[in-house]
């Protein structure tokens, strides 16, 4: 079976074969190896690759898994799923297109109102989480068409706090 | 001895205090807000009292409600932990008025040491070195200029009202002084509505060295040696160790004497910490006194073999110190790493959320002070500290590796933590060589990204997880909409 | 230093050794049997080698297979842990022949100290006190009678071949001696096919006191003070502490000297333990030398601040001891409780099974050396030890309470453990007063049953669990036929 | 709702009422109290009874639960269920009627064969678990009618290793 997996922006095309209940073979980028695997519990898999033992701790998100090995977390996305589901958000990691908090937070200040013109990187909302204030900025030049939250509201990642209509002129948008 | 103590705090420090209380046969009362109904300190205390909404102002910072909880509980004493109301002199005063023993120094001591100018005066009067500097209400350039020559360059201009770097300028030579003063004062005025500035010697590559002190109400004062806490991000300590690689036995003796003198000069009672700045030539300068139990007190407990919380409680109950300075013998080396729910790749942005899996380190030389458990939802209203991992070993070199081992054995799933960053930092040559200055992270780890040495293994694990999905227990492996994780979401933001 | 070490053991001790190896930058190889495919020591080692079936003879006791695993792994040295082949001189010899460093004393030392009569002779020759006694191949009543008068009554007759109390008689006065000898000899003959007996002074209410020693291959020998291990069930230690309440500084010095002399006399190298019997008058007698790492070594690590496994590895690699006797300063008090999968209500019957839930204690002064995790199935082929809980505090009184607190915080569901028994024992006045003799459990806790102080709360919890069943995650709460638990089954049996 | 619960041989008739999702009321033996309860996870419930917090750790067996409080395990059986299901085994705790190992074990020796007469408390099978040998004994005078296992076999609690037909004479049985 072929997987298209994305780690840190790089896509790996991995060819995998299940040999039996405890063994698999994978190959990618010219690397090929067999591994023995043992499921220890829901979140832990023990791998043995060429005699070397590795503990992988796994948490599953919607279209991705975080795999922790030796204390480092690898966020692995299923590139096929994410590509299909959110075609417009594909490049979102590099160029965010929405005003949404990066973590559950509470709104401290809203600095714009409907109809306001905003410039790219201009602060529009300040949220607070864990004693730290974070300013959310406009992703592009445009016009505020709606403010979806109020001061003191508890908000979650993914929740669009301010709708901004993007300017049409190509030039100003590129800055 | 007290029969019951109320702990006016939450998280790992509340748990830390509860443990020693239980061991002393003292009942404990916890307090909590809406966000903490299922918090570990609530589960582990003998009793728990509801304060109010999750906002700190309605709960952990609300003096009236806390006093009310103490009354309801019948506790004779209150332990404030650190943060929240721990260094609020009005709160300490109120406790006294209500007949509640505040486990900490007297309100008047908190008050005078909390005032930076007053504290500096007390120390100067008592021969404790302070950073050479000059305070002036109004700017009189000639006087400042004369003082600047005495202090020597480089020096730093700071706003009297200020903080956060605004109204601050570093001046390398006298010809820049006048312009810099003007700029700083203007900036301070627009930022704080008050243009007062002062000058201080600029310490290059300083270390943060602090001394733990214990003082009883009979006037006995001892110190428990130093901690080095130079590794900081956003002016917050992240790694602490003892002994410091920069403190020689002679310096230790001298600085220890200064710390005890500082405590005596301020009439200190209970546990406290005298903080110093140490420059590259071994000169140290008084910084401030922290009038409470310090986050990093465990490293001192590891090398001295003492339980500082136990001594706090004994002192607060009026007991004489059972230790003299000669009893304090440090041994080995201890490190503490603070585990924060923060994303170190993203300028340490806070990461509240639900802990979905937890595996804690153990074994020789490992201590964990924690406030979380698997299934607990980390609130976003409070400090992002989850736990503190402390290791001890005979020698520093071994202990660094022990800490790395313990961090690698510590698995927290569901929220991002500082663990991968801490591992990388401890593996660095700079840390190994003890080149630990307060700009350590800024200078060597700015824009840090985790190394990804095991991409092939991570991919294999991903696929093995798919292949053995049927062996997972049902109900847990599926993504739950409500547990939306910041790991997979994106935004347009800056801190 | 070695690049790789194979650990020829399992469970908590294998994990203990792996941790120090990792910290020393040494790779580790584990070995395992069918029952241990998912055991923690396998998961945590860098490599793991399959030995064979679960039966110890096919795996952990199989010398050929272990040697083969060492060869395959490329390890230069082998750590035997305790139990299994740790004190097998032939195994140590074989390692030497195969060019593998055995981390322990030389084969010849294991051999001569393993022979009780020879060991006794070595000690006697070197002025180390042994229990007064008389060995005789054939029974010559007149000679025995004369020796008995010299030794004094009460005395004990023991079978030369024996064990387990058979062929044993306690004699209080000379007029019972002849009959008792005949009875004992007859019993020994029918039990062991050999009627040889010997007489020894009967020590009333003895304590078990042992000294940890470290000896390098250059002839330097030091001791790391004593451990008291009097609390035993079925001749197996269950609680150990240091310092002993019965050892005065003067005794400590004298016994320590004897322990070092014993090590020197036997040509000892590496870590070992010299065991003594201590009577009520402060007289001590050599018992035996354990030629390996002791289960209870962590209490010594807590009070000395040393890592004994690290010193074992350094000594085995030929390094000189970096410590002298004067460097060894003990501090505070440490206790170890062994957590066994046993039913203390049922004469400590073993309780293998599946760990369904695990909550481990942590915090100040708490160390846990464990070999289990939630979901692991404890095999019935091996020793029932699950883990060791060790606590440290400034004073014994505080430390007892700390240990009780930690035990109460330790929750193991799925198998019965000794935890409730240990809590009760530590709460007893006898233990608090330090009245710890080797018959402690037999005398004070025979037929022990747990107190049930919280029946009302347990009933409430049962019903609350029913009422909130829908909040439990699916798939886990239902009884699984295959996980049949000894908690709910009954039998007709005796140990 | 009424529960009949058995702890350590004593039966408690407990009347319980669920007040709401977090509160219940129970009464038994003249004791009556209200409790607040919070489910922490599958195996942990936090109780607050008259202001005092209690952590109960629970493992569920077929007709019973083990509840651990302060390190002590309370085996609580549903007396109604156990009475209905195993009417003949009701008194089994005190007078065992079968030869079955108390824990998973391996058979070391079988000391009887079919047709043998055995006396009450006579050893019939030796099993070994965790380095400890345990002798299983005859529950009454009788005759071995079948041996269901062989030496070296791995056996589980509940598995009847030896069938013994009980003697009819009342007298010998009572000894």
């Amino acid at each position: 079976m072929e997987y298209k997996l994305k780690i840190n922006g790089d896509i790996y095309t991995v060819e995998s074969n299940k040999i039996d209940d405890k063994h698999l073979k994978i190959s990618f980028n010219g690397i090929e190896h067999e591994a023995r695997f043992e499921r220890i519990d829901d979140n832990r898999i023990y791998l043995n690759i060429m005699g070397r033992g590795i503990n992988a701790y796994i948490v599953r998100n919607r279209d991705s898994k975080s795999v922790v090995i030796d204390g480092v977390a690898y966020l692995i996305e299923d590139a096929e799923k994410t590509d299909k589901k959110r075609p417009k958000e594909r490049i979102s990691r590099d160029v965010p297109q929405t005003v949404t908090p990066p973590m559950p937070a509470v709104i401290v200040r809203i600095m714009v109102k409907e109809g306001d013109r905003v410039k790219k990187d201009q602060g529009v909302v300040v949220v607070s989480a864990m004693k730290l204030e974070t300013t959310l900025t406009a992703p592009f030049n445009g016009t505020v068409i709606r403010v979806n939250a109020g001061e003191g509201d508890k908000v979650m990642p993914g929740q669009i706090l301010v709708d901004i209509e993007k300017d049409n002129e190509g030039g100003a948008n590129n800055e | 001895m007290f029969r019951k103590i109320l702990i006016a705090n939450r998280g790992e420090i509340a748990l830390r205090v509860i443990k020693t209380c239980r061991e002393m046969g003292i009942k404990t009362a916890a307090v909590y807000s809406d966000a903490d109904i299922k918090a570990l300190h609530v589960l582990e205390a003998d009793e728990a009292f509801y304060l109010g909404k999750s906002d700190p102002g309605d709960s952990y910072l609300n003096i009236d409600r806390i006093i009310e909880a103490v009354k309801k509980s019948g506790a004779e004493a209150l332990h404030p932990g650190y943060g929240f109301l721990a260094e609020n002199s009005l709160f300490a005063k109120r406790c006294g008025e209500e007949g509640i023993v505040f486990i900490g120094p007297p309100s008047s001591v908190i008050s005078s040491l909390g005032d930076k100018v007053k504290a500096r005066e007390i120390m100067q009067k008592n021969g404790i070195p302070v950073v050479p500097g000059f305070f002036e209400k109004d700017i009189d350039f000639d006087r400042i200029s004369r003082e600047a020559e005495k202090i020597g360059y480089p020096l730093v201009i700071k706003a009297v009202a200020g903080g956060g770097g605004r109204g601050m300028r570093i001046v390398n030579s006298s010809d820049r002084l006048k312009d810099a003063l003007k700029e700083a004062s203007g900036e301070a005025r627009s930022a704080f509505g008050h243009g007062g500035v002062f000058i201080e010697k600029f310490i290059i590559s300083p270390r943060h060295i602090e001394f733990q002190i214990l003082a009883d109400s009979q006037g006995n004062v001892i110190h428990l040696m130093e901690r080095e806490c130079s590794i900081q991000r956003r002016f917050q300590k992240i790694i602490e160790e003892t002994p410091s690689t920069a403190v020689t036995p002679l310096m230790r003796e001298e600085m220890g004497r200064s710390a005890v003198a500082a405590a005596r000069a301020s009439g200190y009672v209970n546990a406290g910490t005298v903080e110093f700045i140490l420059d590259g030539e071994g000169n140290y300068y008084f910084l401030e006194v922290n009038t409470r139990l310090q986050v990093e007190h465990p490293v001192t407990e590891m090398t001295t073999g003492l339980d500082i919380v136990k001594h706090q409680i004994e002192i607060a109950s009026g007991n004489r110190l059972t230790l003299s300075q000669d009893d304090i013998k440090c041994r080995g080396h201890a490190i503490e790493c603070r585990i924060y729910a923060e994303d170190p790749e993203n300028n340490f942005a806070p990461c509240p959320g639900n802990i979905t899996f937890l595996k804690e380190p153990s074994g020789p030389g490992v201590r964990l002070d924690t406030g979380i458990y698997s299934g607990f939802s980390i609130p976003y209203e409070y400090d992002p500290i989850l736990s503190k991992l402390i290791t001890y070993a005979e020698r520093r070199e071994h202990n660094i590796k022990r800490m790395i081992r313990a961090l690698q054995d510590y698995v927290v799933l569901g929220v991002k933590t500082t663990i991968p960053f801490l591992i990388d930092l401890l593996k660095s040559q700079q840390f190994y060589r003890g080149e630990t200055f307060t700009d350590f992270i800024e200078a060597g780890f700015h824009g840090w990204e985790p190394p990804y040495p095991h991409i092939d293994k991570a991919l294999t694990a991903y696929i093995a997880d798919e292949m053995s999905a049927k062996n997972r227990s049902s109900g847990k492996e599926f993504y739950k909409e409500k547990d939306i994780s910041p790991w997979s979401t994106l935004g347009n933001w800056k801190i």
Side-chain angles (χ1 to χ4, degrees), chain A, chain B:
Chain A
M1 195 181 158
E2 197 186 271
Y3 288 89
K4 268 193 147 74
L5 301 175
K6 194 160 120 185
I7 300 184
N8 207 20
D10 298 324
I11 291 182
Y12 298 85
T13 305
V14 187
E15 182 57 37
S16 72
N17 292 298
K18 189 167 180 172
I19 299 171
D20 60 32
D21 265 11
K22 302 259 172 156
H23 294 84
L24 65 85
K25 201 172 189 165
I26 74 165
S27 62
F28 70 98
N29 287 5
I31 299 169
E32 190 175 308
H33 65 230
E34 224 182 282
R36 181 165 75 79
F37 61 97
E38 292 279 349
R39 173 163 294 282
I40 305 304
D41 60 34
D42 282 1
N43 296 100
R44 184 178 189 179
I45 284 185
Y46 173 76
L47 295 176
N48 195 298
I49 302 177
M50 296 184 289
R52 181 73 209 269
I54 298 117
N55 291 285
Y57 299 88
I58 303 171
V59 65
R60 286 162 284 277
N61 311 308
R62 203 194 323 246
D63 298 324
S64 65
K65 300 181 188 188
S66 294
V67 177
V68 175
I69 294 176
D70 274 354
V72 177
Y74 300 77
L75 179 67
I76 307 182
E77 290 174 275
D78 185 328
E80 278 166 351
K81 278 193 206 164
T82 48
D83 289 3
K84 242 172 281 166
K85 275 195 181 171
R86 329 179 277 191
K88 278 174 188 165
E89 289 179 60
R90 276 183 66 186
I91 46 161
S92 60
R93 189 168 187 101
D94 313 303
V95 187
Q97 300 294 304
T98 56
V99 178
T100 183
M103 75 290 279
V106 64
I107 294 182
V108 177
R109 268 188 310 283
I110 296 178
M111 299 181 289
V112 293
K113 58 183 193 302
E114 287 176 25
D116 278 4
R117 297 266 313 134
V118 290
K119 287 207 169 163
K120 187 171 182 294
D121 293 335
Q122 178 183 333
V124 290
V125 178
V126 178
V127 296
S128 162
M130 296 179 144
K131 293 169 62 183
L132 188 76
E133 292 196 354
T134 303
T135 303
L136 307 180
T137 58
F140 34 64
N141 297 356
T143 308
V144 174
I145 54 167
R146 206 155 46 142
V147 175
N148 304 309
E151 290 181 8
D153 283 6
K154 294 180 179 183
V155 292
M156 297 293 285
Q159 196 174 333
I160 310 296
L161 307 183
V162 178
D163 285 325
I164 301 174
E165 194 175 61
K166 194 170 172 178
D167 281 355
N168 280 328
E169 337 97 67
N173 201 17
N174 269 347
E175 189 254 333
Chain B
M1 188 44 63
F2 310 117
R3 275 162 303 137
K4 195 185 283 181
I5 291 176
L6 183 134
I7 297 120
N9 215 302
R10 63 180 301 281
E12 70 82 21
I13 195 62
L15 270 304
R16 162 72 190 87
V17 176
I18 286 172
K19 281 173 184 166
T20 287
C21 287
R22 275 177 63 186
E23 293 160 8
M24 294 176 76
I26 298 167
K27 294 265 177 237
T28 53
V31 288
Y32 64 99
S33 70
D34 280 332
D36 278 341
I37 287 172
K38 295 188 182 188
L40 206 51
H41 73 286
V42 173
L43 303 184
E44 298 292 336
D46 292 308
E47 303 169 12
F49 295 87
Y50 175 72
L51 293 175
K53 293 212 171 114
S54 305
D55 189 274
D58 293 325
S59 51
Y60 302 106
L61 286 175
N62 191 303
I63 294 180
D64 285 340
R65 293 202 190 146
I66 288 171
I67 296 291
E68 198 188 318
V70 179
K71 299 272 163 159
K72 229 190 268 175
S73 74
E76 301 111 315
L78 176 146
H79 197 297
Y82 55 72
F84 293 125
L85 297 167
E87 291 178 283
N88 184 317
S89 63
L90 295 178
F91 179 56
K93 191 162 169 248
R94 175 74 183 277
C95 284
E97 288 163 4
E98 302 276 356
I100 302 159
V101 177
F102 178 84
I103 301 175
S107 165
S108 58
V109 174
I110 298 175
S111 167
S112 60
L113 291 174
D115 178 331
K116 302 246 147 104
V117 179
K118 203 183 268 180
R120 188 186 154 97
E121 278 170 16
I122 296 173
M123 300 309 149
Q124 255 183 317
K125 230 183 277 172
N126 285 275
I128 294 145
V130 297
V131 179
F134 176 65
F135 286 75
E136 179 81 338
K137 254 187 201 157
D138 304 304
I139 300 183
D140 171 350
F141 178 69
D142 288 338
R143 283 197 57 197
I144 289 185
S145 183
R146 278 198 304 276
E147 293 294 332
E149 292 303 322
K150 280 193 228 161
I151 294 165
Y153 291 87
L155 52 77
V156 61
I157 305 171
K158 288 182 183 173
V160 170
R166 278 183 293 184
M168 206 162 124
R169 287 288 182 284
I170 292 159
V171 185
N172 288 308
S173 57
S174 60
D175 52 337
R176 269 284 299 148
L177 183 63
K178 195 162 193 168
D179 286 350
L181 276 170
K182 269 186 199 154
E183 285 165 30
S185 179
E187 202 171 293
R189 189 172 294 110
S190 77
F192 314 113
H194 170 33
V197 294
F198 64 93
I199 59 169
E200 224 177 53
K201 188 177 175 63
F202 179 68
I203 312 287
I204 301 164
S205 284
R207 291 174 191 258
H208 177 110
I209 307 285
E210 61 185 31
F211 275 70
Q212 175 72 51
I213 54 160
L214 287 180
D216 66 20
S217 48
Q218 285 82 35
N220 301 299
V221 186
I222 60 170
H223 71 84
L224 309 183
M225 312 295 165
E226 86 279 9
R227 296 184 285 257
E228 174 163 353
C229 318
S230 302
I231 314 282
Q232 309 182 349
R233 57 106 191 69
R234 273 204 300 270
F235 306 105
Q236 278 267 345
K237 299 163 189 170
I238 189 163
I239 297 181
E240 300 97 348
E241 62 177 310
T242 185
S244 163
T245 56
V247 176
T248 63
L250 214 70
M251 283 161 71
R252 184 167 294 121
E253 211 173 297
E254 200 186 322
M255 292 173 83
R257 256 201 310 272
S258 287
V260 168
R264 282 194 201 285
S266 53
Y268 206 88
V269 177
N270 213 297
T273 298
V274 182
E275 298 193 329
F276 296 108
I277 289 278
L278 181 69
D279 73 13
E281 279 84 52
N283 303 307
Y284 64 97
Y285 307 100
F286 172 82
L287 192 62
E288 63 180 14
V289 178
N290 285 320
T291 57
R292 54 164 158 84
L293 184 65
Q294 210 74 337
V295 180
E296 59 271 24
H297 76 278
V299 294
T300 301
E301 295 187 325
M302 298 296 261
T303 52
T304 58
L306 303 176
D307 183 326
I308 294 174
V309 173
K310 176 172 157 274
H311 286 283
Q312 281 197 296
I313 294 170
E314 284 173 350
I315 289 168
S317 80
N319 288 2
R320 229 189 150 76
L321 258 183
T322 51
L323 300 158
S324 71
Q325 191 63 54
D326 287 343
D327 294 328
I328 308 306
K329 299 266 179 277
C330 281
R331 185 163 75 191
H333 185 264
I335 307 180
E336 173 180 281
C337 282
R338 300 191 190 185
I339 314 298
Y340 288 107
E342 288 181 347
D343 184 356
E345 287 174 69
N346 241 324
N347 209 11
F348 299 96
C351 280
N354 193 46
I355 307 281
T356 53
F357 177 86
L358 191 60
K359 179 185 164 274
E360 295 176 340
S362 65
V366 175
R367 165 175 170 183
L368 181 70
D369 281 22
T370 183
I372 59 168
Y373 60 91
S374 175
F376 182 60
S377 199
I378 312 299
Y380 52 84
E381 285 87 354
Y382 313 119
D383 193 274
I385 197 163
L386 300 179
S387 64
K388 301 177 316 202
L389 182 58
I390 306 104
T391 59
Y392 169 90
E394 272 171 80
R395 288 169 195 287
R396 186 173 186 272
E397 304 83 65
H398 185 174
N399 201 28
I400 293 171
K401 287 185 184 160
R402 178 162 277 177
M403 179 56 91
I404 292 168
R405 188 268 291 170
L407 286 166
Q408 287 175 337
D409 280 351
Y410 197 176
V411 183
V412 183
L413 299 184
V415 300
K416 284 211 166 191
T417 73
T418 40
I419 291 174
F421 178 74
L422 291 162
I423 291 172
D424 232 33
L425 197 157
L426 288 163
K427 281 182 174 174
S428 72
Q429 278 304 307
Q430 302 98 290
F431 190 83
Y432 186 82
R433 290 194 299 256
E435 293 162 1
T436 47
F437 308 103
T438 54
D439 62 350
F440 186 93
I441 289 175
E442 195 49 43
F445 290 85
H446 185 76
W448 176 85
E449 283 186 17
Y452 290 116
H454 298 304
I455 284 184
D456 55 333
K457 286 154 194 162
L459 292 170
T460 309
Y462 181 104
I463 292 167
D465 185 58
E466 295 284 306
M467 286 180 179
S468 59
K470 68 172 170 44
N471 298 323
R472 302 198 304 249
S473 76
S474 62
K476 272 205 162 174
E477 75 273 38
F478 297 108
Y479 172 78
K480 289 183 205 132
E481 202 64 33
K482 71 178 183 69
D483 288 350
I484 194 154
S485 153
W487 292 44
S488 56
T489 62
L490 308 155
N492 191 39
W493 53 280
K494 64 177 183 199
I495 292 170

